Amino acid sequence: MTSSVLPLPAQAYLEQAATTERDLHVLAPAIDDRIRREVQSADPGLDADLADWADPSCPRPKLTLLGPVQVRAQGSLPQRNP
């Protein structure tokens, strides 16, 4: 069985969004169960890490690099060097 990270069938995105089949294949490829198991075993804590990232009360430091750079951490940030 193959699946994708997208919740809807690929055709829905092709009909409603400015995208191509190649875009969908690159950004959200369909994978089979064997590949899914390999990825999950390579990083078994990924789901928990992603949940922590989305949880504003999680004390783990977070650094955003895409878009405006952001640091989220406990305490205050150090003063910049002159």
Coordinates of all heavy atoms in Angstrom, one line a residue:
M1 N 0.8 -1.2 0.0 CA 0.0 0.0 0.0 C 0.9 1.2 0.0 O 1.9 1.3 0.7 CB -0.9 0.0 1.2 CG -1.8 1.2 1.3 SD -2.9 1.0 2.8 CE -3.0 2.7 3.2
T2 N 0.5 2.2 -0.8 CA 1.3 3.5 -0.8 C 0.4 4.6 -0.3 O -0.8 4.5 -0.3 CB 1.7 3.9 -2.2 OG1 0.6 4.1 -3.1 CG2 2.6 2.8 -2.8
S3 N 1.1 5.6 0.3 CA 0.3 6.7 0.8 C 1.2 8.0 0.7 O 2.4 7.9 0.4 CB -0.1 6.5 2.3 OG 1.1 6.3 3.1
S4 N 0.6 9.1 1.0 CA 1.3 10.4 0.9 C 1.0 11.2 2.2 O 0.1 10.9 2.9 CB 0.8 11.2 -0.3 OG 1.2 12.5 -0.3
V5 N 1.8 12.2 2.4 CA 1.5 13.1 3.6 C 0.4 14.0 3.4 O -0.2 14.6 4.3 CB 2.8 13.9 4.0 CG1 3.9 13.1 4.4 CG2 3.2 14.8 2.8
L6 N -0.1 14.1 2.1 CA -1.2 14.9 1.8 C -2.5 14.2 2.2 O -2.7 13.0 1.9 CB -1.3 15.3 0.3 CG -0.1 16.1 -0.2 CD1 -0.1 16.2 -1.7 CD2 0.0 17.4 0.5
P7 N -3.5 14.9 2.8 CA -4.7 14.3 3.2 C -5.7 14.0 2.1 O -6.5 13.1 2.3 CB -5.3 15.3 4.2 CG -4.8 16.6 3.8 CD -3.4 16.3 3.3
L8 N -5.6 14.7 1.0 CA -6.5 14.5 -0.1 C -5.8 13.8 -1.3 O -4.6 13.8 -1.3 CB -7.1 15.8 -0.6 CG -7.8 16.7 0.4 CD1 -8.2 18.1 -0.2 CD2 -9.1 16.0 0.9
P9 N -6.6 13.2 -2.2 CA -6.0 12.6 -3.3 C -5.2 13.7 -4.2 O -5.6 14.8 -4.2 CB -7.2 12.0 -4.1 CG -8.3 12.0 -3.2 CD -8.0 13.0 -2.1
A10 N -4.2 13.2 -4.9 CA -3.4 14.2 -5.7 C -4.2 15.0 -6.6 O -4.0 16.2 -6.9 CB -2.3 13.4 -6.4
Q11 N -5.2 14.4 -7.2 CA -6.1 15.0 -8.2 C -6.7 16.3 -7.6 O -6.9 17.3 -8.3 CB -7.1 14.1 -8.7 CG -7.8 14.6 -10.0 CD -6.9 14.9 -11.1 OE1 -5.9 14.1 -11.3 NE2 -7.2 15.9 -11.9
A12 N -7.1 16.3 -6.4 CA -7.7 17.4 -5.7 C -6.8 18.6 -5.7 O -7.2 19.8 -6.0 CB -8.1 17.1 -4.3
Y13 N -5.5 18.4 -5.5 CA -4.5 19.5 -5.5 C -4.2 20.0 -6.9 O -4.1 21.1 -7.2 CB -3.2 19.0 -4.8 CG -3.4 18.7 -3.4 CD1 -3.6 17.3 -3.0 CD2 -3.5 19.6 -2.4 CE1 -3.9 17.0 -1.7 CE2 -3.7 19.3 -1.1 CZ -3.9 18.0 -0.8 OH -4.2 17.6 0.5
L14 N -4.2 19.0 -7.9 CA -4.0 19.4 -9.3 C -5.1 20.3 -9.8 O -4.9 21.2 -10.6 CB -3.8 18.2 -10.1 CG -2.5 17.3 -9.8 CD1 -2.5 16.0 -10.6 CD2 -1.3 18.2 -10.1
E15 N -6.3 20.0 -9.4 CA -7.5 20.7 -9.9 C -7.6 22.1 -9.2 O -8.1 23.0 -9.7 CB -8.8 19.9 -9.7 CG -8.9 18.7 -10.6 CD -10.0 17.8 -10.2 OE1 -10.8 18.1 -9.3 OE2 -10.2 16.8 -10.9
Q16 N -7.2 22.2 -7.9 CA -7.5 23.4 -7.1 C -6.3 24.3 -6.8 O -6.5 25.5 -6.5 CB -8.1 23.0 -5.7 CG -9.4 22.2 -5.8 CD -10.5 23.1 -6.4 OE1 -10.7 24.3 -6.0 NE2 -11.4 22.5 -7.2
A17 N -5.1 23.8 -7.0 CA -3.9 24.6 -6.7 C -3.1 24.9 -7.9 O -3.2 24.2 -8.9 CB -3.1 23.9 -5.6
A18 N -2.2 25.8 -7.8 CA -1.3 26.1 -8.9 C -0.1 25.2 -8.7 O 1.0 25.6 -8.2 CB -0.8 27.6 -8.8
T19 N -0.2 23.9 -9.1 CA 0.8 22.9 -8.9 C 0.8 22.0 -10.1 O -0.2 22.0 -10.9 CB 0.6 22.2 -7.6 OG1 1.8 21.4 -7.3 CG2 -0.6 21.3 -7.6
T20 N 1.8 21.2 -10.2 CA 1.9 20.2 -11.3 C 2.1 18.8 -10.7 O 2.4 18.7 -9.5 CB 3.1 20.5 -12.2 OG1 4.3 20.3 -11.4 CG2 3.1 21.9 -12.8
E21 N 1.9 17.8 -11.5 CA 2.2 16.4 -11.0 C 3.6 16.3 -10.5 O 3.8 15.6 -9.4 CB 1.9 15.4 -12.1 CG 0.4 15.2 -12.3 CD 0.1 14.1 -13.3 OE1 0.7 13.0 -13.1 OE2 -0.7 14.3 -14.2
R22 N 4.5 16.9 -11.2 CA 6.0 16.8 -10.7 C 6.1 17.5 -9.4 O 6.8 16.9 -8.5 CB 6.9 17.5 -11.8 CG 8.3 17.3 -11.4 CD 9.2 17.8 -12.6 NE 10.6 17.4 -12.4 CZ 11.4 18.2 -11.7 NH1 11.1 19.3 -11.2 NH2 12.7 17.8 -11.5
D23 N 5.5 18.6 -9.2 CA 5.6 19.3 -7.8 C 5.1 18.4 -6.7 O 5.7 18.2 -5.7 CB 4.7 20.6 -7.8 CG 5.2 21.7 -8.7 OD1 6.4 21.7 -9.0 OD2 4.4 22.6 -9.0
L24 N 3.9 17.7 -7.0 CA 3.4 16.8 -6.0 C 4.3 15.7 -5.7 O 4.5 15.3 -4.5 CB 2.0 16.3 -6.4 CG 0.9 17.3 -6.3 CD1 -0.4 16.7 -6.9 CD2 0.7 17.9 -5.0
H25 N 4.9 15.1 -6.7 CA 5.8 14.0 -6.6 C 7.0 14.4 -5.8 O 7.5 13.6 -4.9 CB 6.2 13.4 -7.9 CG 7.1 12.3 -7.8 ND1 6.8 11.0 -7.4 CD2 8.5 12.2 -8.1 CE1 7.8 10.2 -7.3 NE2 8.9 10.9 -7.8
V26 N 7.5 15.6 -6.0 CA 8.8 16.0 -5.3 C 8.4 16.4 -3.8 O 9.2 16.0 -2.9 CB 9.4 17.2 -6.0 CG1 10.5 17.8 -5.2 CG2 10.0 16.7 -7.4
L27 N 7.4 17.1 -3.6 CA 7.1 17.6 -2.3 C 6.3 16.6 -1.4 O 6.5 16.7 -0.2 CB 6.2 18.9 -2.4 CG 7.0 20.1 -3.1 CD1 6.0 21.2 -3.3 CD2 8.2 20.5 -2.3
A28 N 5.6 15.8 -2.0 CA 4.8 14.8 -1.2 C 4.7 13.5 -1.9 O 3.7 13.0 -2.4 CB 3.4 15.3 -0.9
P29 N 5.9 12.8 -2.0 CA 5.9 11.6 -2.8 C 5.1 10.5 -2.1 O 5.0 10.4 -0.9 CB 7.4 11.2 -2.8 CG 8.0 11.8 -1.6 CD 7.2 13.1 -1.5
A30 N 4.5 9.6 -2.9 CA 3.8 8.4 -2.4 C 4.8 7.4 -1.9 O 5.8 7.2 -2.7 CB 2.8 7.9 -3.4
I31 N 4.7 6.9 -0.8 CA 5.7 5.9 -0.3 C 4.9 4.6 0.1 O 3.8 4.7 0.5 CB 6.5 6.4 0.9 CG1 5.6 6.8 2.1 CG2 7.3 7.6 0.4 CD1 6.4 7.1 3.3
D32 N 5.7 3.5 0.1 CA 5.1 2.3 0.5 C 5.4 2.0 2.0 O 6.1 2.8 2.6 CB 5.5 1.1 -0.4 CG 7.0 0.9 -0.3 OD1 7.6 1.1 0.7 OD2 7.5 0.4 -1.4
D33 N 4.8 1.0 2.5 CA 4.9 0.7 3.9 C 6.3 0.4 4.4 O 6.8 0.7 5.5 CB 4.0 -0.5 4.3 CG 2.5 -0.1 4.3 OD1 2.2 1.0 4.5 OD2 1.7 -1.1 4.2
R34 N 7.1 -0.2 3.5 CA 8.5 -0.5 3.8 C 9.3 0.8 4.0 O 10.0 0.9 5.0 CB 9.2 -1.3 2.7 CG 10.6 -1.7 2.9 CD 11.3 -2.4 1.7 NE 11.3 -1.5 0.5 CZ 12.2 -0.5 0.3 NH1 13.1 -0.3 1.2 NH2 12.2 0.2 -0.8
I35 N 9.1 1.7 3.1 CA 9.8 3.0 3.3 C 9.4 3.7 4.6 O 10.2 4.3 5.3 CB 9.6 3.9 2.1 CG1 10.1 3.3 0.8 CG2 10.2 5.3 2.3 CD1 11.6 3.3 0.6
R36 N 8.1 3.7 4.8 CA 7.5 4.3 6.0 C 8.2 3.7 7.3 O 8.6 4.5 8.2 CB 6.0 4.2 6.1 CG 5.4 4.9 7.3 CD 3.9 4.8 7.2 NE 3.3 5.3 6.0 CZ 3.1 6.6 5.8 NH1 3.4 7.5 6.7 NH2 2.6 7.0 4.7
R37 N 8.3 2.4 7.3 CA 8.9 1.8 8.5 C 10.4 2.1 8.6 O 10.8 2.4 9.7 CB 8.8 0.2 8.4 CG 7.4 -0.3 8.7 CD 7.3 -1.8 8.8 NE 7.8 -2.5 7.6 CZ 7.0 -2.8 6.6 NH1 5.8 -2.5 6.6 NH2 7.6 -3.4 5.6
E38 N 11.1 2.2 7.5 CA 12.5 2.7 7.5 C 12.7 4.1 8.1 O 13.5 4.3 8.9 CB 13.1 2.6 6.1 CG 13.4 1.2 5.7 CD 14.0 1.2 4.3 OE1 14.6 2.2 3.9 OE2 13.9 0.2 3.6
V39 N 11.8 5.0 7.6 CA 11.9 6.4 8.1 C 11.5 6.4 9.6 O 12.2 7.1 10.4 CB 11.0 7.3 7.3 CG1 10.8 8.6 7.9 CG2 11.5 7.4 5.9
Q40 N 10.5 5.7 10.0 CA 10.1 5.7 11.4 C 11.1 5.1 12.3 O 11.4 5.6 13.4 CB 8.7 5.0 11.6 CG 7.6 5.8 11.0 CD 6.3 5.1 11.0 OE1 6.2 3.8 10.9 NE2 5.2 5.8 11.1
S41 N 11.8 4.1 11.9 CA 12.8 3.5 12.7 C 14.1 4.3 12.7 O 14.8 4.3 13.7 CB 13.1 2.1 12.2 OG 13.8 2.1 11.0
A42 N 14.3 5.1 11.7 CA 15.5 6.0 11.7 C 15.4 7.1 12.7 O 16.4 7.6 13.2 CB 15.7 6.6 10.3
D43 N 14.2 7.6 12.9 CA 13.9 8.7 13.9 C 12.7 8.4 14.7 O 11.6 9.0 14.4 CB 13.9 10.0 13.2 CG 13.9 11.2 14.1 OD1 13.9 11.0 15.4 OD2 14.1 12.3 13.7
P44 N 12.7 7.5 15.6 CA 11.5 7.1 16.3 C 10.9 8.2 17.2 O 9.7 8.2 17.5 CB 11.9 5.9 17.2 CG 13.4 6.0 17.3 CD 13.9 6.7 16.1
G45 N 11.6 9.2 17.5 CA 11.1 10.3 18.3 C 10.6 11.5 17.5 O 10.2 12.6 18.1
L46 N 10.5 11.4 16.2 CA 10.1 12.5 15.3 C 8.7 13.0 15.6 O 8.6 14.3 15.7 CB 10.3 12.1 13.8 CG 9.9 13.3 12.9 CD1 10.8 14.5 13.1 CD2 10.0 12.7 11.4
D47 N 7.8 12.2 15.8 CA 6.4 12.6 16.1 C 6.4 13.4 17.4 O 5.7 14.5 17.5 CB 5.4 11.4 16.2 CG 5.1 10.9 14.8 OD1 5.3 11.6 13.8 OD2 4.7 9.7 14.8
A48 N 7.1 13.0 18.4 CA 7.2 13.7 19.7 C 7.9 15.0 19.5 O 7.5 16.1 20.1 CB 7.9 12.9 20.8
D49 N 8.9 15.1 18.7 CA 9.6 16.3 18.4 C 8.7 17.3 17.8 O 8.7 18.5 18.1 CB 10.9 16.1 17.6 CG 12.0 15.3 18.3 OD1 12.0 15.3 19.5 OD2 12.9 14.8 17.6
L50 N 8.0 16.9 16.8 CA 7.0 17.8 16.1 C 5.9 18.3 17.0 O 5.5 19.4 16.9 CB 6.5 17.1 14.8 CG 7.5 16.8 13.7 CD1 6.8 16.0 12.6 CD2 8.0 18.1 13.2
A51 N 5.5 17.4 17.9 CA 4.4 17.8 18.8 C 5.0 18.9 19.8 O 4.4 19.9 20.1 CB 3.9 16.6 19.6
D52 N 6.3 18.7 20.2 CA 6.9 19.7 21.1 C 7.1 21.0 20.3 O 6.9 22.1 20.9 CB 8.3 19.2 21.6 CG 8.2 18.2 22.6 OD1 7.1 17.9 23.2 OD2 9.2 17.6 23.0
W53 N 7.4 21.0 19.1 CA 7.6 22.2 18.3 C 6.3 23.0 18.2 O 6.3 24.2 18.3 CB 8.1 21.8 16.9 CG 8.3 23.0 16.0 CD1 7.4 23.5 15.1 CD2 9.4 23.9 16.0 NE1 7.9 24.7 14.6 CE2 9.1 24.9 15.1 CE3 10.6 23.9 16.7 CZ2 10.0 25.9 14.8 CZ3 11.5 24.9 16.4 CH2 11.2 25.9 15.5
A54 N 5.2 22.3 18.1 CA 3.9 23.0 18.0 C 3.4 23.5 19.3 O 2.5 24.3 19.4 CB 2.9 22.1 17.3
D55 N 3.9 22.9 20.4 CA 3.4 23.2 21.8 C 4.1 24.5 22.3 O 5.3 24.4 22.7 CB 3.6 22.0 22.7 CG 3.1 22.2 24.1 OD1 2.6 23.3 24.4 OD2 3.3 21.3 24.9
P56 N 3.3 25.6 22.4 CA 4.0 26.8 22.9 C 4.4 26.7 24.4 O 5.3 27.5 24.8 CB 2.9 27.9 22.8 CG 1.6 27.2 22.6 CD 1.9 25.8 22.1
S57 N 3.9 25.7 25.2 CA 4.3 25.6 26.6 C 5.5 24.7 26.7 O 6.0 24.5 27.8 CB 3.1 25.1 27.4 OG 2.8 23.8 27.0
C58 N 6.0 24.1 25.6 CA 7.1 23.2 25.7 C 8.4 24.0 26.0 O 8.7 25.0 25.4 CB 7.3 22.4 24.4 SG 8.8 21.4 24.4
P59 N 9.2 23.6 27.0 CA 10.4 24.3 27.4 C 11.6 24.1 26.5 O 12.6 24.8 26.6 CB 10.7 23.8 28.8 CG 10.2 22.4 28.8 CD 8.9 22.4 27.9
R60 N 11.5 23.2 25.5 CA 12.6 23.0 24.6 C 12.9 24.2 23.8 O 12.0 24.9 23.3 CB 12.4 21.8 23.7 CG 12.3 20.5 24.5 CD 11.9 19.4 23.6 NE 12.9 19.1 22.6 CZ 12.8 18.2 21.6 NH1 11.7 17.4 21.6 NH2 13.7 18.0 20.7
P61 N 14.2 24.6 23.6 CA 14.4 25.8 22.7 C 14.1 25.5 21.3 O 14.2 24.3 20.8 CB 15.9 26.0 22.9 CG 16.5 24.8 23.5 CD 15.3 24.0 24.2
K62 N 13.7 26.5 20.6 CA 13.3 26.3 19.2 C 13.9 27.5 18.4 O 13.8 28.6 18.7 CB 11.8 26.4 19.0 CG 11.1 25.3 19.8 CD 9.7 25.5 20.0 CE 9.1 24.5 21.0 NZ 7.9 24.9 21.6
L63 N 14.4 27.2 17.2 CA 15.1 28.1 16.3 C 14.4 28.0 15.0 O 14.3 27.0 14.4 CB 16.6 27.8 16.2 CG 17.4 28.7 15.3 CD1 17.3 30.2 15.8 CD2 18.8 28.2 15.2
T64 N 13.8 29.1 14.5 CA 13.2 29.2 13.2 C 14.2 29.9 12.2 O 14.6 31.0 12.5 CB 11.9 30.0 13.3 OG1 11.0 29.4 14.2 CG2 11.2 30.0 11.9
L65 N 14.5 29.2 11.1 CA 15.4 29.7 10.2 C 14.8 30.1 8.9 O 15.4 30.9 8.1 CB 16.5 28.7 9.9 CG 17.4 28.3 11.1 CD1 18.4 27.2 10.7 CD2 18.1 29.5 11.7
L66 N 13.6 29.6 8.5 CA 12.9 29.9 7.3 C 12.0 31.1 7.6 O 11.3 31.1 8.6 CB 12.1 28.7 6.8 CG 13.0 27.5 6.3 CD1 12.1 26.4 5.9 CD2 13.9 27.9 5.2
G67 N 12.1 32.1 6.8 CA 11.3 33.4 7.1 C 12.1 34.2 8.1 O 13.4 34.0 8.2
P68 N 11.5 35.0 8.8 CA 12.2 35.8 9.9 C 12.8 34.8 10.9 O 12.2 33.9 11.4 CB 11.1 36.6 10.5 CG 10.0 36.6 9.6 CD 10.0 35.3 8.8
V69 N 14.1 35.0 11.2 CA 14.8 34.2 12.2 C 14.2 34.5 13.6 O 13.9 35.6 13.9 CB 16.3 34.5 12.2 CG1 17.0 33.7 13.3 CG2 16.9 34.1 10.8
Q70 N 13.8 33.4 14.3 CA 13.2 33.5 15.6 C 13.8 32.5 16.5 O 14.2 31.4 16.1 CB 11.7 33.1 15.5 CG 10.8 34.2 15.5 CD 9.3 33.6 15.6 OE1 9.1 32.5 15.1 NE2 8.4 34.3 16.1
V71 N 14.0 32.9 17.8 CA 14.4 32.0 18.9 C 13.3 32.0 19.9 O 12.9 33.1 20.3 CB 15.8 32.5 19.5 CG1 16.1 31.6 20.7 CG2 16.9 32.6 18.5
R72 N 12.9 30.8 20.3 CA 12.0 30.7 21.4 C 12.7 29.8 22.4 O 13.0 28.6 22.1 CB 10.7 30.0 20.9 CG 9.9 30.9 19.9 CD 8.7 30.3 19.4 NE 9.1 29.3 18.4 CZ 8.3 28.3 17.9 NH1 7.1 28.1 18.4 NH2 8.8 27.6 17.0
A73 N 12.8 30.3 23.6 CA 13.5 29.6 24.7 C 13.1 30.1 26.0 O 12.6 31.2 26.1 CB 15.0 29.7 24.5
Q74 N 13.4 29.4 27.1 CA 13.1 29.9 28.4 C 14.1 31.0 28.8 O 15.3 31.0 28.3 CB 13.3 28.7 29.4 CG 12.2 27.7 29.3 CD 12.3 26.7 30.4 OE1 13.3 26.4 30.9 NE2 11.1 26.1 30.7
G75 N 13.7 31.9 29.6 CA 14.6 33.0 30.0 C 14.7 34.1 29.0 O 13.9 34.1 28.0
S76 N 15.6 35.0 29.2 CA 15.7 36.1 28.2 C 17.0 35.8 27.3 O 17.9 35.2 27.7 CB 15.9 37.4 28.9 OG 16.9 37.4 29.8
L77 N 16.9 36.4 26.2 CA 18.0 36.3 25.2 C 19.2 37.1 25.7 O 19.0 38.2 26.3 CB 17.6 36.7 23.8 CG 16.6 35.8 23.1 CD1 16.2 36.4 21.8 CD2 17.2 34.4 22.9
P78 N 20.4 36.7 25.5 CA 21.6 37.6 25.9 C 21.6 38.8 25.0 O 21.1 38.9 23.9 CB 22.8 36.7 25.6 CG 22.3 35.7 24.6 CD 20.8 35.5 24.9
Q79 N 22.2 39.9 25.6 CA 22.4 41.1 24.8 C 23.3 40.9 23.7 O 24.3 40.1 23.8 CB 23.0 42.2 25.7 CG 22.1 42.6 26.9 CD 20.8 43.3 26.4 OE1 20.8 44.0 25.4 NE2 19.7 43.0 27.0
R80 N 23.1 41.5 22.6 CA 23.9 41.4 21.4 C 25.3 42.0 21.7 O 25.4 43.0 22.4 CB 23.3 42.1 20.2 CG 22.2 41.3 19.6 CD 21.7 41.9 18.3 NE 21.3 40.8 17.5 CZ 21.7 40.6 16.3 NH1 22.4 41.4 15.6 NH2 21.2 39.6 15.6
N81 N 26.3 41.5 21.0 CA 27.6 42.2 21.1 C 27.6 43.4 20.3 O 27.0 43.5 19.2 CB 28.7 41.2 20.6 CG 28.9 40.0 21.5 OD1 28.6 40.1 22.7 ND2 29.3 38.9 20.9
P82 N 28.3 44.5 20.7 CA 28.3 45.7 20.0 C 29.0 45.6 18.6 O 29.8 44.7 18.4 CB 29.0 46.7 20.9 CG 29.5 46.0 22.0 CD 29.0 44.6 22.0

